[in-house]
Amino acid sequence: MPEPDDGKVSVEDVSRWTLAGNMNETQVYTVIVNSVHFKRDLRVVSLVKRCGSKVKTALLFSTDMSLEAMTLVTYYKARF
């Protein structure tokens, strides 16, 4: 988890993210960040799928820090 005032987290650079697992050829990364806009911590989950030379991504957000990344993905999939 980034330290306070540790700077912005980049979606392209997953070195500060934790690999939570894989789903259907999609890598699932997660990180907890502090959102200045919402004035609170958020769990951010990044779904990354490589299709040839293209990279498809999706970002999911939750205010529940105890929610695991893979569970959050399951909830989003059930919702949409």
Side-chain angles (χ1 to χ4, degrees):
M1 182 165 133
E3 295 296 320
D5 297 325
D6 195 20
K8 294 184 179 183
V9 176
S10 172
V11 177
E12 291 83 24
D13 178 15
V14 295
S15 64
R16 296 174 66 181
W17 297 64
T18 302
L19 179 63
N22 293 295
M23 292 181 109
N24 305 326
E25 301 177 14
T26 302
Q27 293 175 311
V28 180
Y29 295 94
T30 188
V31 68
I32 295 177
V33 299
N34 182 270
S35 170
V36 175
H37 179 78
F38 293 112
K39 299 177 184 168
R40 65 184 310 157
D41 287 343
L42 298 174
R43 174 173 298 281
V44 182
V45 175
S46 176
L47 305 174
V48 180
K49 184 172 185 175
R50 289 172 175 76
C51 302
S53 63
K54 294 182 181 180
V55 177
K56 296 181 180 183
T57 60
L59 293 175
L60 312 177
F61 301 88
S62 175
T63 57
D64 185 353
M65 299 303 107
S66 65
L67 194 61
E68 292 189 21
M70 300 304 275
T71 304
L72 182 63
V73 172
T74 302
Y75 288 169
Y76 267 86
K77 284 176 75 173
R79 182 175 178 192
F80 297 102

